[in-house]
Structures are given as structure tokens and as C-alpha cells.
């Protein structure tokens, strides 16, 4: 009860206050309820009259008002100052109200025109201005079918009939998800019809022109398949639809019963046109070639535009149209920027059209957008700017395409002229070429030929060759199997490159050709043919056969040489392993051949070799291989022959050679032959091993007295020894090549007192598999197989180089002794080699003493004297080594200008207990001292020997008693592992230096 009493008391107090506020409000100024009424008598006869100065408008946020309410409302109205109502993109409904007055004495029939075709809904209500009674309502808009409009115009037209003295209040509700524009004007029907007809002509002509250009570019694309024309055509078609949509023509004539599609068609058409524009720019400016990154960007633009077009189906129209406006700005501006870059920076002529076109289009587009957003007032420039821009782009890009076509035409004409010139040059080359040029079908039949080919095949002319060779399929290649081989190669690779085969002339003569060619399509039959050229290489093949023969045969005897024989041996080894059939190898060396060569000269030696070769041929079967390996060495491969039969044949060869007498200029010579026989079976190793076994047997035959046959037998001691020596030679050769030799040194000490500096003998060792091999194990093999000369030179060069790398040692060195073998001493070029080594490494020659054995000096006295004289001249010293071991030591001693005498160790070892040895050492010492020579005693291994030598006044001693041989120059491989291996613990004995 208390609350109810409070409520009524408050109400009585508030009612007077409310009445006071109402009076105050009435006293305040308010917005005008109406604009001035438009007197229809003022309406021009030939044009329309804008209603903007006469109307007032307001927005309806909640869309709750009714026309009756709007008619009576006096608040919230706004006047519009510009020529036409343009509010941009808003979501609210807009109410418009104005008043018409017929002050004439006649009934006036008028048209109310809204010159904008993209409004969703327009509701018009007319009220009697005096009574307020509703006179008429009309409705139109894009959401309604076109045929439901009051007047079937592309835009919105409402008929109004006014009796004399009649006043109307017109209320309009306008709603649009597009730009809110309402250019309302009043027209006489005839004047509006005339005006719309003029507009229809203009827009119809514009759309028709664009459509024709689109069709023209489509035809160009179909004709030349250049995608730029296709994209440009699509762009033009899209823009044609945009024009038709903006002017309402599309809704009027294309889809009048599809308001839903009409609602989104502008977004879809605009997005599609811009996507085509991006692709056209990409193709026309060739961005993929000139700027790949920019090309990818324009591909992205086209995808974005297509997504924008698709957004019209799923997004609200206001969102989709804003996206369309965004890409409408982005794509033309990007196209403009890219064109400007290529024109100014790259000098691309095509880009200048883009720059000009899109400069204009961009300006007109910006004006259009500013007009639609309400920034600029709506007028003919803002409304038609997009059309002007489009006309500019279409015109300029069409001109660009026309210019491109013209330039391409000019380029084609130039290319055609050049092609004709090339064709003429080709014809000259074809006709005058020395190569035979041809075209054949798949079976080898000539389809075309040049004069050179006709000459090659023995025809009088190309026509004669084509006629006579039409049915002769064995001309090229001559053999069908070779044709199939070439055809298979062509099918796999599509061409022939230097394919050699035999061909046949028209007279049947065979000759060799080299073919180059490829498969092409015959322009007349569209069938594959082979087109190419060939040259006659008969002489080349003959030369190749000759060279191949010379490469595998001995030019003197005509027999197979070492290279060809080794190939046949490898085949025999493989055959023995696969077929288990035995073969035999005979290694043969002539005896006494050197006597004939030295006595009668090389001409006689060559003649002897030819006659012996002819003798051998009598024993050779067609399946056998006889070879001259070099010098007086021969070999015979007996295929499918047991070793026993091979031995029998070898004995016959030995007897026949022994019985043979060679006559030269009245002189008669007899020669012999040493033969080694080896079986080739499935257990035979490599080629090198087989030849080594055969050589071993042959050398065993020589060592056994010559003119013998020795069959390889691993159980024979002499053969085993010889085999070991030959294997050692291989090891020596590898050691020299790989630097696996090592230099030791053993001091040579004065017997009394001390000496200044260091004096020693340089000793060589060999390394194999981590072991040290002493000279006695490899020097005999090196001497026997002529490796000692190379070994001596290695020691000299290695030691002198080492001295140059160790200057302190060189400064302390008094004398270093280096051994020279008999073969080295007898070599005429040893002296120059040693002198060149001294000069290269800068070693004083007086610090080197070369030791020559007595046997080497006796074997070649003259060569020894020449060598000593040559090297003494530069300061070298010489020692006669192993003195006393020869038969005439004293006789040669006085003829050899040496500085030192080294007594052979066989006299030193037992001299402490053997009086004969003691007296011989005493005699040699006295003779040497008498000649002014120094005396060195070798192999001094204990104190008792040392004491006896002191008695004899020997100058120097050398041996394990005074100094154990130690490492001087290590090999590269040992220097890395010497911390792990004791280099003096392997194969060194107290009595072996």
C-alpha cells in the first residue's frame, strides 16, 4: 500500500513538469518538415529536373518506420546539398520525402526517374497533400523481377499523373547493399524516352564495340593459339557484362527473371575480368621470361580475382563488392607499375601502351570509386568515368595488339625471307657438298639424293640414282643385319651419329661409309623418313686396318708383336678355365744372335730374324700364334696342345735352328735357340704370372748351357731360383717406383788418432711388407736382369738430394763413398748424369768418393778410365773396391787413377789367425802406399783383426767392430711407421753389411 501511494504521488508531481518541457520544445526551432514544393509547371519540356533541392531524407537504422509515419514526421530530416543523393555504402534504409504541386490547369503525366540500376528495393507512396490520404503505391528494385516494375526501363521509372491544382506528398523508401545513390529527377515522358534512347545508343555502341573486339581476339587466339589474345578476349567479355550490369541492360534483356543472379553478377563479372586482365598482362609482357618472380605475383593476382568472383556466391554482397573494389584498385595499379618498369628500365616497347592505357584507366577508376563512395558528388564525370577509362584501355590495348601483330607479321616476313635465303644456301650446299646427302624410307629406298651421293654410288645423276636404286634395297647398308642394327639404334635414340657400315655401289662394289642422320616427318606424306648424310670412309677403314695390323704385328718379320700376342694369351687363359682344354706356351730366345749383329751389323741381324721367322712358320698351325716379342725373343702359343706334344715340337724347333746356317757376305754363322715350355690350364694364373713362368724356363735353358728345351717344373731347383730372382726384379722395380728403398751408412774410421768431420760408405736396403731386405738378397737379381743401373742412379740422386736438404750434415761430411756396379761403369751417360746431379743439388764434388769393384774395372777398362777421368776433373774421388779378388789386380792397379784401395773382406776376416791372409794384406798395403794410395780394410769385426791391421799401418778400417750400419735416409712409407718397427733388427747379421 505504501509503494502504491508513493507511485501515485510521484505521478501527480511529474505531470506538470512534462507539460512544461513540451512547451519549451515547441518554442525551440525544428528541422523543416518539407522542402519547397516543386511546381510541375516549371518542369522543362526537353529535359529532366533534379529533385535534390526539393527533397529531404533520413536514415532508418532499425527499419521500423512506415510510409504513413514518415509522411507525418517533422524531426530527423536532412537536406541534400549536392545535385544528386549519394550516401556511399551504408546498411540503413533511406527515407526520402518531397512535394509536387500541379499549378497548371491541365492534367500532367510525368515520369519519376531514379537513374541508378543497382538499388535493391524502392517503395514509392503518394499522398494527397490536403487530406493526407494515400493515393497510390508502387514498388521496384533488383530483388524483384524485372517485369514487376511499373515502367519497363533498365533503371527505375515511376509514372505520376496529376490533376489540375493537385498537390502530392511523395514518400520513398530506398534500400541497397550496393552504393546508396538515388539520382531522382522528374521528366516529361517524351523527354525521358528521348534521353534514354540516346543513352541506349551510347552504351549499346560501347558494349557492341567491346564485344566485337572480344570476338576478334577470340578468332586470333583460335588462329594462332597465342594465349594473350584469349585472356584479353575474356577480359573484354567480362567488362561488357560489367557495362551491361551497371546500365541495367543485363537485367532488362539477359536475365530479367533472375534477381538473385543479378544481385551478384557485378562481383562475378568484375572478378573474372580482372583475373583475365592479370593473365593477359603476364602473357603480353612475357613476365615468365623477363621477371619470373613478378610473373608468379600476377598468377597470384589472377587467383585472388577468381576467389573474389567466387566470393559473390558465399559472402554478403557488401563484403564481396568491397573485395571487388580492392582488386579493382590493386590489379590495374600493379599492371601500371610493371609496365612502367619495363618501359623505363628495360626499354620494352609493348609496355608503353600499357602505361598510357592504365594511366588513364587508373585516373578514371579513382574518380569512379570516389564518386561511388560519396567523396565526390555524383555527376556525369563520376558516373561515366569508368566508361571513359574502359574505352581508353580497350582502344590502346587493341592498338598494342594490332601493333604486335604487325611487328610479328614483319618478323615473319623477315624470317620467311631469311628462310628462303637459308633454303637457297642449303640448296647450294646440298648440290655442291662433298658429302652425300639423302633421304630414305623405312625399308632403305632412296627418296632424294644430291650429286655427291650419286657420284659415291656410281650414278650419273641424282635422278639416275633414284631410278636405278629404287628397287635395290641393298645399297645402304649392304648387309641386312647392319640395316637392322642401325634401325634399332634410330628407334632408341632417334638419330645416327657416325654409324659405320658397308654400302654397295650400283656396280656391286662394296665400300665403307659413315652415316649421320635423324628421323623426320615427310611434309608430303607425314610419314617418318630418315634424312642424313654419308661420307666414303673406305680409305680411312683401310688405314685403320693397316694401323691395327701394325699395332699388333712386328714390322720386320710380319709376326704378331708383344701387344697382339698378350691379347691372344689372355684369351687362351680364359679358354682353358672355361673349356678345361690345355694349351702350351713356348718362350724362345736365340743364342749367339749378338755375335751376328756385332760382327756384320744390324742389317745382317734383321735378315737372320726374317729367315728364322720363316723357319718357325713351318711348324705353326692356323690356330696357333707365333710372335716376335722383341730383339731375338720369340713366343709360340699352341692351342689345344698338351705340354708333352709341345715339348716334342720344341725339340724339333731346336734341332732345325741348330742345323740352320746363316750366310752373310761370305761369312757363315750357326745359331742356337733356348726354349722354355709352360702348360696353360685351368690352374694358370694371370698373364703376367704365365709369362714369368715361361721366361724362367727359358732363362733356365740358357743357364744350363744354351740350345736347350726346359719344361717349367716347380720342383727343379734352378727354375725355382730363377723364378725367385725374377720375382725379386719385380719387387725392385716397384721399390724404385714407390720409394721403398732406404739408405744406411757405415763409418770409415782412421786406424790411429781421430779425423775431422765424418767419413762413411752409403749402403742401400729395400723394404717389403714391413721387412728390410739386405743387398745380398736383391742385388744379384738386379745385376742379372739389368736393373742395377737404375738402382745406382736412384742411390746417387736420392743421397745428393738428401745432402742438399741437410746442410749441417753436409758441412760436417768429409767423404761419402757410393758404390757403382759394372753396368753403371760401362754406361756412357753415367758421367753426365752424375755431373748434372751435382749441379742440381749444389753438392761439392770432392766430398763424394765412388767405389768401383775390381771385377767391374777389369770388365770394361776403357770405360772405367774414361769415367774416372771425367769425374776427377770436377773433384770426385775414386776407390778400387774388393781389391785382391781378381786374377790380375796389380796389373790393372797402376792403370787406374784411383785415390783409395779397399782390400777385399775375404783377406781380412781370417788374417788374425791365417798367416797367408796376413802377408797378402801386408803386401797389398805396401804396394798401395808405394803408389801414394790410401788403404781401407773392410769387414773389421773384432779387436784382434784391428790389432793386426795396426801392425801393418793400414790407414782406415770399416766394419762392425768400429761402427754398426745405421739409418741415414728413410723411405716416405717407413718414416711414418719407424716408431713401430726396429729398422736394424730384421735380416741383419754381424757379418753382413
Amino acid at each position: 500500500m505504501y509503494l502504491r501511494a508513493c507511485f501515485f504521488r510521484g505521478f501527480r508531481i511529474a505531470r506538470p513538469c512534462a507539460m512544461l518541457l513540451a512547451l519549451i520544445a515547441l518554442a525551440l526551432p525544428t528541422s523543416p518538415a518539407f522542402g519547397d514544393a516543386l511546381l510541375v509547371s516549371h518542369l522543362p519540356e526537353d529535359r529532366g529536373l533534379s529533385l535534390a533541392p526539393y527533397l529531404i531524407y533520413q536514415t532508418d537504422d532499425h527499419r521500423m518506420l512506415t510510409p504513413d509515419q514518415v509522411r507525418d514526421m517533422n524531426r530527423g530530416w536532412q537536406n541534400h546539398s549536392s545535385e544528386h543523393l549519394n550516401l556511399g555504402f551504408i546498411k540503413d534504409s533511406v527515407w526520402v520525402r518531397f512535394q509536387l504541386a500541379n499549378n497548371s490547369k491541365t492534367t500532367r503525366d510525368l515520369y519519376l526517374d531514379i537513374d541508378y540500376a543497382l538499388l535493391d528495393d524502392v517503395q514509392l507512396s503518394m499522398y494527397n497533400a490536403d487530406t493526407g490520404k494515400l493515393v497510390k503505391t508502387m514498388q521496384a528494385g533488383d530483388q524483384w523481377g524485372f517485369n514487376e516494375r511499373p515502367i519497363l526501363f533498365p533503371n527505375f521509372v515511376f509514372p505520376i499523373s496529376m490533376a489540375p491544382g493537385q498537390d502530392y506528398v511523395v514518400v520513398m523508401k530506398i534500400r541497397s547493399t550496393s552504393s546508396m545513390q538515388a539520382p531522382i529527377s522528374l521528366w516529361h515522358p517524351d523527354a525521358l524516352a528521348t534521353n534514354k534512347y540516346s543513352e541506349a545508343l551510347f552504351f549499346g555502341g560501347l558494349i557492341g564495340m567491346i564485344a566485337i573486339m572480344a570476338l576478334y581476339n577470340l578468332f586470333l587466339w583460335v588462329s594462332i593459339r597465342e594465349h594473350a589474345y584469349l585472356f584479353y578476349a575474356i577480359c573484354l567479355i567480362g567488362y561488357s557484362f560489367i557495362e551491361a550490369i551497371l546500365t541495367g541492360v543485363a537485367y532488362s534483356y539477359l536475365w530479367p527473371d533472375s534477381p538473385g543472379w543479378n544481385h551478384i553478377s557485378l562481383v562475378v563479372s568484375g572478378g573474372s575480368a580482372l583475373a583475365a586482365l592479370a593473365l593477359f598482362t603476364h602473357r603480353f609482357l612475357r613476365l615468365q621470361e623477363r621477371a619470373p618472380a613478378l610473373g608468379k605475383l600476377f598468377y597470384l593476382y589472377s587467383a585472388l580475382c577468381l576467389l573474389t568472383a567466387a566470393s559473390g556466391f558465399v559472402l554478403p554482397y557488401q563484403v564481396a563488392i568491397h573485395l571487388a573494389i580492392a582488386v579493382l584498385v590493386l590489379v590495374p595499379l600493379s599492371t601500371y607499375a610493371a609496365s612502367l618498369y619495363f618501359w623505363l628500365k628495360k626499354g620494352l616497347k609493348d609496355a608503353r601502351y600499357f602505361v598510357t592505357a592504365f594511366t588513364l584507366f587508373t585516373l578514371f577508376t579513382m574518380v569512379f570509386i570516389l564518386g561511388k563512395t560519396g567523396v565526390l558528388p555524383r555527376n556525369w564525370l563520376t558516373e561515366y568515368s569508368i566508361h571513359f577509362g574502359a574505352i581508353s584501355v580497350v582502344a590502346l590495348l587493341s592498338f598494342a595488339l594490332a601493333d604486335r601483330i604487325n611487328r610479328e607479321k614483319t618478323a615473319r616476313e623477315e624470317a620467311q625471307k631469311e628462310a628462303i635465303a637459308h633454303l637457297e644456301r642449303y640448296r647450294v650446299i646440298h648440290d655442291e657438298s662433298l658429302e652425300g646427302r639423302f633421304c630414305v624410307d623405312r625399308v632403305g629406298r632412296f627418296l632424294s639424293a644430291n650429286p655427291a651421293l650419286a657420284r659415291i654410288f656410281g650414278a650419273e645423276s641424282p635422278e639416275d640414282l633414284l631410278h636405278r636404286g629404287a628397287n635395290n634395297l641393298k645399297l645402304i647398308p649392304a648387309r641386312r643385319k647392319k640395316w637392322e642394327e642401325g634401325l634399332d639404334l634410330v628407334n632408341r635414340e632417334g638419330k645416327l651419329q657416325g654409324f659405320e657400315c658397308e654400302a654397295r655401289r650400283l656396280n656391286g662394289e662394296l665400300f665403307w661409309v659413315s652415316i649421320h642422320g635423324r628421323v623426320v616427318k615427310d611434309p608430303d606424306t607425314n610419314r617418318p623418313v630418315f634424312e642424313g648424310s654419308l661420307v666414303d670412309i673406305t680409305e680411312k677403314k683401310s688405314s685403320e686396318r693397316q694401323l691395327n695390323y701394325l699395332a699388333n704385328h712386328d714390322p720386320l718379320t710380319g709376326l704378331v708383336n708383344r701387344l697382339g700376342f698378350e691379347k691372344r694369351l689372355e684369351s687362351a687363359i680364359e679358354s682353358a678355365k672355361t673349356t678345361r682344354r690345355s694349351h702350351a706356351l713356348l718362350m724362345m730366345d736365340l743364342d749367339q744372335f749378338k755375335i751376328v749383329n756385332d760382327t756384320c751389323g744390324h742389317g745382317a741381324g734383321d735378315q737372320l730374324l726374317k729367315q728364322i721367322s720363316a723357319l718357325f712358320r713351318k711348324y705353326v698351325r692356323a690356330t696357333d700364334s707365333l710372335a716376335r716379342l722383341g730383339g731375338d725373343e720369340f713366343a709360340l702359343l699352341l692351342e689345344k696342345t698338351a705340354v708333352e706334344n709341345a715339348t716334342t715340337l720344341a725339340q724339333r724347333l731346336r734341332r732345325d735352328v741348330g742345323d740352320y746356317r746363316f750366310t752373310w757376305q761370305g761369312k757363315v754363322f750357326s745359331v742356337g735357340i733356348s726354349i722354355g715350355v709352360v702348360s696353360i690350364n685351368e690352374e694358370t694364373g694371370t698373364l703376367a704370372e704365365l709369362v714369368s713362368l715361361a721366361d724362367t724356363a727359358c732363362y733356365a735353358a740358357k743357364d744350363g748351357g744354351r740350345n736347350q728345351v726346359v719344361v717349367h717344373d716347380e720342383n727343379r731347383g734352378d727354375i725355382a731360383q730363377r723364378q725367385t730372382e725374377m720375382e725379386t726384379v719385380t719387387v725392385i722395380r716397384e721399390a724404385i717406383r714407390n720409394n721403398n728403398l732406404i739408405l744406411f751408412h757405415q763409418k770409415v774410421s782412421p786406424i790411429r788418432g781421430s779425423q775431422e768431420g765424418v767419413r762413411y760408405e752409403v749402403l742401400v736396403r729395400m723394404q717389403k711388407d714391413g721387412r728390410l731386405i739386405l743387398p745380398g738378397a736383391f742385388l744379384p737379381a738386379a745385376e742379372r736382369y739389368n736393373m742395377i743401373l737404375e738402382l745406382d742412379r736412384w742411390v746417387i740422386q736420392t743421397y745428393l738430394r738428401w745432402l742438399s736438404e741437410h746442410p749441417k750434415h753436409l758441412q760436417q761430411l768429409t767423404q761419402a763413398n757410393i758404390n757403382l756396379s759394372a753396368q753403371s761403369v760401362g754406361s756412357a751417360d753415367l758421367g753426365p748424369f752424375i755431373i748434372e746431379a751435382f749441379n742440381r743439388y749444389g753438392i761439392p764434388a770432392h766430398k763424394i768418393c765412388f767405389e768401383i769393384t775390381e771385377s767391374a774395372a777389369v770388365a770394361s777398362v776403357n770405360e772405367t778410365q774414361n769415367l774416372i777421368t771425367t769425374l776427377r776433373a770436377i773433384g770426385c774421388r775414386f776407390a778400387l773396391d774388393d781389391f785382391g779378388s781378381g786374377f790380375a789386380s796389380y796389373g790393372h792397379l797402376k792403370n787406374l787413377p784411383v785415390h783409395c784401395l779397399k782390400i777385399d773382406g775375404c783377406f781380412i776376416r781370417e788374417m788374425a789367425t791365417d798367416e797367408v791372409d796376413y802377408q797378402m794384406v801386408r803386401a797389398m798395403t805396401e804396394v798401395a802406399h808405394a803408389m801414394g794410395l790410401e788403404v781401407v780394410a773392410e769387414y773389421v769385426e773384432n779387436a784382434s783383426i784391428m790389432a793386426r791391421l795396426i801392425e801393418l799401418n793400414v790407414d782406415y778400417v770399416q766394419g762392425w767392430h768400429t761402427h754398426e750400419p745405421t739409418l741415414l735416409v728413410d723411405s716416405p712409407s717407413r718414416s711414418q711407421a719407424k716408431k713401430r718397427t726396429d729398422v736394424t733388427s730384421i735380416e741383419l747379421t754381424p757379418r753382413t753389411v
Side-chain angles (χ1 to χ4, degrees):
M1 294 296 291
Y2 175 75
L3 292 175
R4 181 183 299 175
C6 290
F7 174 76
F8 282 111
R9 185 178 300 167
F11 178 75
R12 287 195 297 268
I13 295 172
R15 187 166 55 181
C17 293
M19 293 177 65
L20 178 62
L21 290 174
L23 292 174
I24 294 172
L26 289 174
L28 293 175
T30 61
S31 300
F34 292 95
D36 295 334
L38 172 61
L39 301 178
V40 296
S41 60
H42 295 168
L43 182 63
E45 294 291 335
D46 57 346
R47 55 187 176 83
L49 181 64
S50 174
L51 297 183
Y54 304 96
L55 62 80
I56 54 177
Y57 72 94
Q58 64 172 301
T59 59
D60 182 6
D61 297 342
H62 304 289
R63 300 182 181 180
M64 299 295 292
L65 298 175
T66 64
D68 292 342
Q69 293 173 333
V70 172
R71 177 199 60 188
D72 298 330
M73 287 180 60
N74 292 323
R75 295 185 177 279
W77 294 102
Q78 301 179 52
N79 292 315
H80 194 67
S81 58
S82 61
E83 184 180 356
H84 297 289
L85 181 64
N86 185 0
L87 303 181
F89 289 92
I90 61 173
K91 297 180 180 180
D92 305 331
S93 297
V94 176
W95 288 95
V96 176
R97 191 174 71 184
F98 56 88
Q99 185 173 350
L100 299 178
N102 184 4
N103 57 345
S104 66
K105 297 180 180 180
T106 59
T107 301
R108 307 296 293 267
D109 293 323
L110 306 172
Y111 279 171
L112 183 70
D113 176 41
I114 303 178
D115 194 16
Y116 184 57
L118 301 181
L119 298 176
D120 294 341
D121 184 27
V122 180
Q123 298 178 14
L124 185 144
S125 301
M126 291 192 304
Y127 294 91
N128 189 300
D130 298 327
T131 63
K133 183 179 179 181
L134 179 64
V135 178
K136 188 176 183 180
T137 61
M138 292 175 283
Q139 188 169 354
D142 284 349
Q143 71 178 25
W144 312 103
F146 180 77
N147 293 323
E148 298 178 18
R149 296 183 179 184
I151 301 294
L152 300 180
F153 265 90
N155 53 318
F156 306 110
V157 178
F158 299 93
I160 297 177
S161 181
M162 299 185 69
Q166 183 78 51
D167 289 353
Y168 285 143
V169 175
V170 180
V171 176
M172 299 179 66
K173 180 182 180 182
I174 305 173
R175 183 168 53 85
S176 178
T177 52
S178 183
S179 176
M180 179 58 73
Q181 300 183 63
I184 306 173
S185 58
L186 194 65
W187 294 77
H188 289 292
D190 293 339
L192 180 63
T194 302
N195 178 266
K196 294 300 181 182
Y197 179 75
S198 300
E199 287 186 0
L201 288 178
F202 172 76
F203 289 114
L206 176 62
I207 295 172
M209 179 190 70
I210 296 174
I212 290 172
M213 291 300 302
L215 290 175
Y216 174 70
N217 282 276
L218 277 177
F219 290 144
L220 286 177
W221 173 72
V222 172
S223 176
I224 62 178
R225 295 294 176 179
E226 168 55 52
H227 289 344
Y229 299 106
L230 173 63
F231 296 141
Y232 187 55
I234 295 174
C235 180
L236 292 178
I237 292 172
Y239 182 70
S240 299
F241 276 104
I242 292 173
E243 286 289 344
I245 294 166
L246 290 176
T247 57
V249 173
Y251 196 31
S252 303
Y253 299 103
L254 300 180
W255 47 78
D257 298 322
S258 303
W261 165 247
N262 188 65
H263 185 65
I264 64 173
S265 59
L266 182 62
V267 175
V268 175
S269 299
S272 303
L274 289 171
L277 176 62
L279 293 174
F280 170 69
T281 304
H282 179 279
R283 193 76 181 187
F284 187 79
L285 296 180
R286 295 175 182 170
L287 299 182
Q288 193 66 32
E289 304 169 11
R290 298 184 173 117
L294 193 59
K296 292 179 181 179
L297 179 63
F298 271 81
Y299 275 139
L300 182 63
Y301 283 164
S302 65
L304 181 62
C305 293
L306 291 176
L307 287 175
T308 300
S311 69
F313 295 95
V314 293
L315 296 179
Y317 180 80
Q318 280 202 334
V319 177
I321 194 63
H322 279 83
L323 288 176
I325 291 175
V327 295
L328 178 62
V329 175
L330 179 64
V331 174
L333 283 178
S334 298
T335 301
Y336 177 77
S339 304
L340 192 64
Y341 169 76
F342 281 109
W343 183 22
L344 299 181
K345 293 293 186 181
K346 302 296 184 180
L348 183 63
K349 292 184 178 180
D350 288 340
R352 60 185 174 176
Y353 298 109
F354 267 80
V355 171
T356 305
F358 283 98
T359 298
L360 296 175
F361 182 75
T362 302
L363 293 176
F364 285 124
T365 300
M366 294 302 297
V367 171
F368 177 77
I369 292 173
L370 293 175
K372 293 301 179 184
T373 55
V375 177
L376 293 178
R378 188 181 190 277
N379 50 46
W380 67 270
L381 178 61
T382 59
E383 285 303 299
Y384 295 119
S385 59
I386 191 69
H387 307 301
F388 299 146
I391 293 172
S392 302
V393 170
V394 171
L396 288 170
L397 292 188
S398 298
F399 185 75
L401 288 173
D403 183 57
R404 183 186 223 180
I405 293 173
N406 184 57
R407 284 188 284 109
E408 290 175 351
K409 177 184 176 183
T410 303
R412 283 195 300 270
E413 291 175 351
E414 292 296 328
Q416 187 177 13
K417 291 178 182 178
E418 188 175 353
I420 293 173
H422 282 310
L423 187 61
E424 180 61 24
R425 287 195 293 270
Y426 174 79
R427 186 192 64 79
V428 173
I429 294 173
H430 181 273
D431 292 344
E432 299 182 4
S433 173
L434 297 178
E435 294 183 353
R437 305 187 67 85
F438 64 89
C439 180
V440 297
D441 58 17
R442 292 187 64 85
V443 298
R445 185 183 295 106
F446 282 117
L447 301 177
S448 66
N450 70 338
L453 189 75
R455 290 193 299 271
I456 291 174
F457 279 90
E460 295 180 359
S461 65
E463 293 76 14
D464 181 40
L465 176 62
L466 297 180
H467 175 70
R468 296 171 62 187
N471 298 318
N472 190 346
L473 304 182
K474 295 183 178 181
L475 294 182
I476 171 174
R479 308 186 191 282
R480 196 64 187 175
K481 183 177 180 181
K482 200 67 176 177
W483 170 257
E484 293 173 354
E485 178 185 339
L487 193 62
D488 180 63
L489 190 62
V490 168
N491 289 335
R492 284 188 286 108
E493 300 184 8
K495 63 180 180 179
L496 290 181
Q497 193 77 20
F499 181 72
E500 296 183 355
C501 65
E502 282 185 299
R504 191 186 308 275
R505 304 189 201 275
L506 292 176
N507 61 6
E509 177 188 354
L510 292 176
F511 66 105
W512 280 90
V513 296
S514 175
I515 302 175
H516 293 74
R518 60 193 176 93
V519 176
V520 297
K521 286 289 186 68
D522 188 330
D524 297 328
T525 63
N526 203 33
R527 293 179 179 177
V529 294
F530 185 80
E531 182 181 76
S533 64
L534 61 80
V535 291
D536 187 340
I537 59 169
T538 304
E539 292 185 3
K540 172 176 171 288
K541 296 296 288 187
S542 177
S543 299
E544 286 179 356
R545 285 194 297 268
Q546 183 67 20
L547 289 174
N548 184 61
Y549 178 84
L550 293 175
N552 292 279
H553 289 78
D554 174 43
L556 177 64
T557 62
L559 301 179
V560 177
N561 62 11
R562 181 181 294 274
L563 177 63
F565 189 70
E566 288 180 349
K567 293 178 182 177
R568 302 186 185 191
L569 276 183
E570 288 179 339
S571 298
I573 294 172
E574 186 66 26
S575 171
K577 292 179 179 179
T578 55
T579 64
R580 298 186 178 182
R581 296 289 298 270
S582 296
H583 314 294
L585 171 62
L586 275 60
M587 194 67 70
M588 304 177 289
D589 196 298
L590 290 180
D591 302 326
Q592 310 304 327
F593 174 75
K594 190 174 185 299
I595 296 176
V596 176
N597 227 16
D598 293 345
T599 304
C600 302
H602 292 292
D606 291 347
Q607 188 61 34
L608 174 60
L609 292 175
K610 290 181 180 179
Q611 293 180 14
I612 292 297
S613 299
L615 179 64
F616 288 158
R617 282 193 177 96
K618 295 188 298 184
Y619 296 93
V620 178
R621 301 169 299 179
T623 57
D624 299 334
S625 298
L626 176 63
R628 180 191 172 209
L629 303 183
D632 57 354
E633 286 186 88
F634 294 84
L636 177 60
L637 172 62
L638 301 172
E639 297 196 22
K640 300 178 183 178
T641 302
V643 69
E644 295 81 8
N645 297 335
T647 305
T648 302
L649 178 62
Q651 292 290 358
R652 291 173 58 190
L653 282 170
R654 183 191 61 78
R655 286 194 298 270
D656 284 0
V657 172
D659 295 340
Y660 181 76
R661 296 294 178 268
F662 174 68
T663 303
W664 183 264
Q665 296 179 351
K667 298 177 182 180
V668 179
F669 300 89
S670 62
V671 293
I673 188 169
S674 299
I675 304 177
V677 182
V678 179
S679 175
I680 303 174
N681 51 51
E682 57 183 322
E683 297 180 356
T684 301
T686 64
L687 172 66
E689 293 172 348
L690 173 63
V691 172
S692 177
L693 295 177
D695 282 337
T696 301
C698 183
Y699 282 122
K702 280 186 172 294
D703 291 345
R706 301 178 184 273
N707 200 31
Q708 294 186 14
V709 175
V710 173
V711 180
H712 178 266
D713 184 358
E714 295 180 354
N715 297 321
R716 282 186 54 168
D718 57 342
I719 293 182
Q721 179 184 357
R722 180 67 64 181
Q723 183 67 27
T724 301
E725 288 183 348
M726 296 184 68
E727 292 175 355
T728 302
V729 169
T730 302
V731 174
I732 296 172
R733 185 176 289 109
E734 290 296 321
I736 294 175
R737 182 182 297 114
N738 298 324
N739 281 327
N740 284 333
L741 296 174
I742 305 170
L743 295 183
F744 278 62
H745 75 293
Q746 187 176 41
K747 291 182 180 179
V748 178
S749 305
I751 202 165
R752 289 184 178 89
S754 60
Q755 67 177 3
E756 294 182 1
V758 181
R759 181 169 177 166
Y760 53 79
E761 180 182 351
V762 177
L763 307 172
V764 66
R765 305 285 189 264
M766 186 169 65
Q767 173 185 290
K768 180 184 179 184
D769 300 331
R771 299 181 300 109
L772 287 180
I773 303 175
L774 298 179
F778 64 87
L779 287 184
E783 291 176 348
R784 180 185 295 274
Y785 292 99
N786 302 320
M787 286 293 298
I788 192 66
L789 180 60
E790 188 175 353
L791 184 62
D792 285 350
R793 295 191 177 202
W794 183 92
V795 172
I796 294 169
Q797 180 162 305
T798 302
Y799 178 66
L800 294 183
R801 181 175 64 245
W802 183 85
L803 283 179
S804 70
E805 295 170 353
H806 296 79
K808 290 185 178 180
H809 184 91
L810 178 61
Q811 185 178 4
Q812 297 172 357
L813 179 66
T814 300
Q815 180 177 302
N817 291 13
I818 300 176
N819 290 279
L820 295 178
S821 66
Q823 294 179 25
S824 294
V825 172
S827 174
D829 57 352
L830 179 65
F833 170 80
I834 293 175
I835 294 173
E836 192 274 334
F838 276 123
N839 293 333
R840 181 191 308 170
Y841 298 113
I843 306 301
H846 69 272
K847 294 198 174 192
I848 304 298
C849 176
F850 291 103
E851 296 186 9
I852 302 175
T853 63
E854 181 185 353
S855 58
V858 172
S860 52
V861 176
N862 294 333
E863 289 82 355
T864 303
Q865 290 177 339
N866 293 336
L867 179 65
I868 293 175
T869 302
T870 300
L871 296 182
R872 277 177 65 104
I874 65 172
C876 292
R877 297 170 60 85
F878 281 86
L880 190 61
D881 196 13
D882 297 339
F883 186 77
S885 60
F887 296 101
S889 300
Y890 293 106
H892 291 289
L893 181 60
K894 63 181 180 180
N895 297 321
L896 295 174
V898 297
H899 300 85
C900 177
L901 190 71
K902 297 189 74 172
I903 300 174
D904 192 272
C906 65
F907 301 106
I908 304 298
R909 288 192 186 99
E910 306 296 333
M911 68 173 290
T913 57
D914 191 324
E915 186 63 24
V916 174
D917 287 345
Y918 177 81
Q919 292 299 329
M920 293 187 72
V921 172
R922 181 186 62 78
M924 287 185 276
T925 302
E926 291 176 352
V927 171
H929 283 163
M931 297 179 66
L933 304 179
E934 297 176 344
V935 177
V936 178
E938 298 182 299
Y939 290 88
V940 179
E941 297 175 355
N942 53 57
S944 58
I945 296 176
M946 185 73 171
R948 300 300 299 270
L949 290 172
I950 293 174
E951 296 174 3
L952 297 178
N953 201 27
V954 172
D955 299 305
Y956 294 92
V957 293
Q958 178 183 351
W960 281 60
H961 177 66
T962 59
H963 180 244
E964 180 180 344
T966 56
L967 180 67
L968 181 67
V969 181
D970 204 353
S971 68
S973 57
R974 277 187 59 83
S975 64
Q976 298 174 1
K978 62 182 179 181
K979 294 183 179 179
R980 303 190 301 270
T981 306
D982 182 1
V983 298
T984 62
S985 64
I986 304 173
E987 296 191 22
L988 290 176
T989 63
R991 295 182 177 274
T992 304
V993 177

